[in-house]
């Protein structure tokens, strides 16, 4: 979901569109709860745009291909809460579900994934809460991405809230694979046939090989990287 979609969702919830059962009586509170995550996303989105524009302006390699922010839908929040045994109260959701706001950053090369993660987490107002490095240690199905949970301060009219945002960093090849895998997974839910699973795992290896090759070519053309 993009931030424009998020705006629409928030308006929908605030205007009493049918919500999952536990949230029906608290739609106003819920829309405020979600608004804060939208602001957290905007903060991280701005930081990423600044990095990309500044690097381009300085004639340096811009490691960021594209960025897509998304806010979890209420039904996806509810499903996750039920799966992890989190009570459906806003306080519990706030504490236990830290990927309500998420932003995916697609980079050109594998080294860019780490460079951008480093540039972001070195900023003094960004607190790194968790790192899951599925690039160094891919999931058994072949999934690769660097996942960070970071917290940023959001300055409201009367208080400051610290908002967790899940940042997923990956290359274009990893993104291509993950998007196809997601569609296949969805189509065959719950069980992807074994042969297809194996082929997907092999395709993930092909994508990783392509990433290595492109990075090597890039270095040969431009010399050692200097972001
Ligand atoms: P959406 O639509 O992006 O919200 P969780 O699975 O969320 O309970 P955790 O520890 O938060 O547990 O998950 P993790 O490992 O950090 O990964 C969560 C997100 O990463 C997923 O979000 C996907 O976006 C992506 N992801 C993780 N594993 C895979 C995978 O095997 N294939 C693909 N295509 N994407 C993956 P959600 O919540 O599933 O969906």
């Amino acid at each position: 979901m993009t931030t424009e979609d998020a705006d629409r969702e928030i308006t929908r919830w605030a205007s009493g569109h049918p919500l999952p059962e536990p949230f029906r009586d608290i739609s106003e509170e819920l829309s405020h709860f979600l608004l804060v995550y939208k602001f957290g996303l905007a903060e991280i989105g701005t930081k990423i745009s600044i990095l990309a524009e500044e690097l381009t302006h300085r004639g340096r390699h811009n490691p960021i291909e594209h960025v897509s922010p998304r806010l979890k839908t209420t039904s996806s929040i509810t499903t996750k809460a039920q799966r992890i045994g989190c009570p459906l109260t806003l306080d519990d959701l706030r504490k236990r579900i830290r990927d309500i706001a998420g932003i995916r950053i697609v980079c050109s090369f594998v080294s860019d994934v780490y460079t951008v993660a480093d540039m972001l987490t070195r900023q003094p107002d960004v607190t790194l809460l968790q790192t899951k490095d599925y690039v160094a240690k891919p999931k058994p199905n072949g999934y690769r991405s660097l996942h960070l949970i970071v917290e940023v301060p959001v300055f409201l009219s009367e208080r400051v809230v610290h908002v967790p945002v899940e940042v997923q960093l990956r290359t274009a090849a990893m993104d291509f694979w993950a998007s196809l895998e997601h569609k296949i997974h969805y189509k065959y839910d719950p069980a992807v046939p074994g042969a297809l699973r194996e082929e997907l795992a092999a395709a993930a290896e092909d994508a990783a090989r392509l990433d290595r090759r492109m990075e090597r070519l890039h270095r040969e053309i431009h010399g050692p990287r200097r972001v």
Side-chain angles (χ1 to χ4, degrees), residues 2 6 9 28 32 39 51 55 63 76 92 102 132 134 136 155 173 175 183 199 214 219:
T2 63
E9 282 271 323
E28 196 160 319
H32 188 262
F39 296 153
L51 289 175
L55 289 166
S76 153
D92 286 295
K132 284 191 197 168
Y134 297 122
F155 294 82
D175 193 49
K183 284 181 199 135
E199 205 162 340
M214 298 303 266
R219 279 174 203 263

Side-chain angles (χ1 to χ4, degrees), residues 7-169:
D7 277 336
R8 271 193 292 279
E9 282 271 323
I10 289 167
T11 312
R12 216 160 57 94
W13 295 325
S15 64
H17 190 276
L19 289 162
E21 181 68 44
F23 299 127
R24 283 200 191 130
D25 297 334
I26 55 160
S27 63
E28 196 160 319
E29 222 184 310
L30 178 65
S31 71
H32 188 262
F33 171 82
L34 289 161
L35 194 61
V36 161
Y37 288 95
K38 187 194 140 192
F39 296 153
L41 267 187
E43 292 284 354
I44 296 288
T46 302
K47 286 176 179 297
I48 297 300
S49 309
I50 289 173
L51 289 175
E53 197 171 332
E54 190 231 2
L55 289 166
T56 306
H57 186 75
R58 291 168 65 193
R60 310 273 276 268
H61 164 69
N62 171 13
I64 298 155
E65 294 279 344
H66 58 90
V67 173
S68 43
R70 73 105 182 87
L71 213 53
K72 248 185 177 11
T73 61
T74 42
S75 75
S76 153
I77 294 172
T78 311
T79 308
K80 179 161 182 177
Q82 282 161 347
R83 182 164 52 81
I84 64 172
C86 170
L88 289 168
T89 71
L90 296 184
D91 270 351
D92 286 295
L93 297 174
R94 194 177 288 118
K95 280 186 212 126
R96 306 256 322 259
I97 303 194
R98 296 191 297 182
D99 64 345
I100 292 173
I103 190 162
R104 188 167 291 151
I105 304 170
V106 174
C107 300
S108 316
F109 304 106
V110 176
S111 57
D112 293 336
V113 161
Y114 293 100
T115 304
V116 175
D118 192 48
M119 283 176 173
L120 184 65
T121 55
R122 262 189 292 136
Q123 301 192 3
D125 56 345
V126 175
T127 306
L128 178 64
L129 299 180
Q130 185 188 74
T131 303
K132 284 191 197 168
D133 190 347
Y134 297 122
V135 177
K137 202 168 180 305
K139 288 177 78 166
N141 63 356
Y143 177 78
R144 287 168 169 80
S145 268
L146 177 63
H147 291 192
L148 312 176
I149 305 285
V150 298
E151 198 171 64
V152 277
V154 166
F155 294 82
L156 301 176
S157 54
E158 291 172 354
R159 64 201 171 101
V160 181
V161 282
H162 294 271
V163 182
V165 177
E166 183 190 63
V167 183
Q168 294 184 354
L169 297 118

